[in-house]
Amino acid sequence: MAYVLSRSQLGRVRDQLLVGMELVDINPDTLFLNMDRLTDRKVPVRLNGEISFEKQFILADSIRFVPDSVLISGPASVVDTVMAVYSKPLVIEKLKEDYSQKIALQKHPSLKLGHNEVAIHIQIEPFSEKTISVPIVVFGLPDSLRMKTFPSSVEVTFRAGMSQFDKVSPEDFMVLVDAEEVLKADRPTRLRVRFDKIPNNIQSYDFSPIFVEYFLEKY
């Protein structure tokens, strides 16, 4: 915090008055100023927009910006609160081929940006669907019991880009049933299937069945 005595500036103010004008007083007599140190740091660039794709097309990779981060400079109290710099609104509909373009960045009234624009690159590809069988894993069962589920696996249908299609295998999924439910007094007749692991390189998935029957036996 700093301050300036208004009366100490009387001479400077009088010198700027038009002829015939007279300065009587300055109020308030003290001006308090909030001082902040200047700083800078790099923050990532983020997209502000909506992108839709033509049928049978999806993203082949993450949307890229070049550069992918921008140096921001300004008061430390402002710089420290900025987590990203966003592009100006961008709307692309029914994209069916790779897209590269310069795009302006949104300005901040208190900050200076190292770049006013960046290049955006959107790579797309056709997708397809595939169905695989994934075994069901039972957890939560004491060592004295053993469980069999019917069926013993689920059919998983997933959607993925052509570049990722052959990279997805049953081992990339983890399908579970919670056997603790059968230890309760109101034992269910069926158990719900849930996914504990899903590969990152698929776009969506569905599976069947959602519930499975089971058989318990003691060791």
Side-chain angles (χ1 to χ4, degrees), residues 182-195:
V182 306
L183 304 178
K184 298 178 181 179
D186 54 343
R187 178 186 302 178
T189 58
R190 298 187 304 166
L191 294 176
R192 187 179 185 89
V193 176
R194 70 176 178 84
F195 280 72

Side-chain angles (χ1 to χ4, degrees), residues 88-129:
K88 290 202 170 177
L90 175 67
V91 177
I92 305 176
E93 296 180 344
K94 296 184 177 181
L95 191 63
K96 59 181 179 180
E97 59 185 15
D98 293 347
Y99 179 92
S100 294
Q101 190 63 262
K102 292 282 188 179
I103 184 170
L105 299 175
Q106 293 183 17
K107 295 182 178 180
H108 192 289
S110 302
L111 299 176
K112 180 180 179 181
L113 305 183
H115 295 273
N116 292 321
E117 64 177 18
V118 295
I120 182 173
H121 300 286
I122 304 173
Q123 186 178 355
I124 68 171
E125 64 179 348
F127 72 83
S128 188
E129 288 187 347

Side-chain angles (χ1 to χ4, degrees), residues 11-193:
R12 292 185 179 182
V13 176
R14 285 196 180 101
D15 292 341
Q16 299 180 42
L17 294 178
L18 298 175
V19 177
M21 298 182 66
E22 180 181 357
L23 178 63
V24 178
D25 196 7
I26 296 180
N27 187 47
D29 59 1
T30 305
L31 299 177
F32 292 93
L33 306 174
N34 288 319
M35 307 296 290
D36 197 354
R37 63 184 178 87
L38 297 178
T39 189
D40 57 56
R41 69 185 179 95
K42 277 191 172 183
V43 295
V45 177
R46 295 285 184 261
L47 175 65
N48 173 26
E50 296 181 2
I51 300 173
S52 64
F53 303 95
E54 190 64 80
K55 291 181 178 180
Q56 295 299 116
F57 285 93
I58 58 174
L59 274 175
D61 201 351
S62 300
I63 296 175
R64 294 190 302 112
F65 292 98
V66 180
D68 61 0
S69 58
V70 172
L71 186 70
I72 59 173
S73 306
S77 59
V78 179
V79 170
D80 292 343
T81 64
V82 177
M83 298 295 104
V85 171
Y86 288 86
S87 70
K88 290 202 170 177
L90 175 67
V91 177
I92 305 176
E93 296 180 344
K94 296 184 177 181
L95 191 63
K96 59 181 179 180
E97 59 185 15
D98 293 347
Y99 179 92
S100 294
Q101 190 63 262
K102 292 282 188 179
I103 184 170
L105 299 175
Q106 293 183 17
K107 295 182 178 180
H108 192 289
S110 302
L111 299 176
K112 180 180 179 181
L113 305 183
H115 295 273
N116 292 321
E117 64 177 18
V118 295
I120 182 173
H121 300 286
I122 304 173
Q123 186 178 355
I124 68 171
E125 64 179 348
F127 72 83
S128 188
E129 288 187 347
K130 183 179 182 180
T131 300
I132 57 176
S133 182
V134 180
I136 297 172
V137 176
V138 177
F139 82 100
L141 202 64
D143 294 337
S144 60
L145 295 174
R146 184 170 60 182
M147 175 185 288
K148 292 182 179 180
T149 64
F150 301 96
S152 61
S153 62
V154 295
E155 298 299 303
V156 180
T157 300
F158 65 88
R159 176 185 294 180
M162 298 304 294
S163 65
Q164 303 297 318
F165 206 65
D166 293 330
K167 298 178 182 178
V168 181
S169 68
E171 291 74 23
D172 296 320
F173 297 86
M174 177 68 76
V175 180
L176 305 175
V177 290
D178 185 358
E180 290 183 356
E181 294 294 318
V182 306
L183 304 178
K184 298 178 181 179
D186 54 343
R187 178 186 302 178
T189 58
R190 298 187 304 166
L191 294 176
R192 187 179 185 89
V193 176

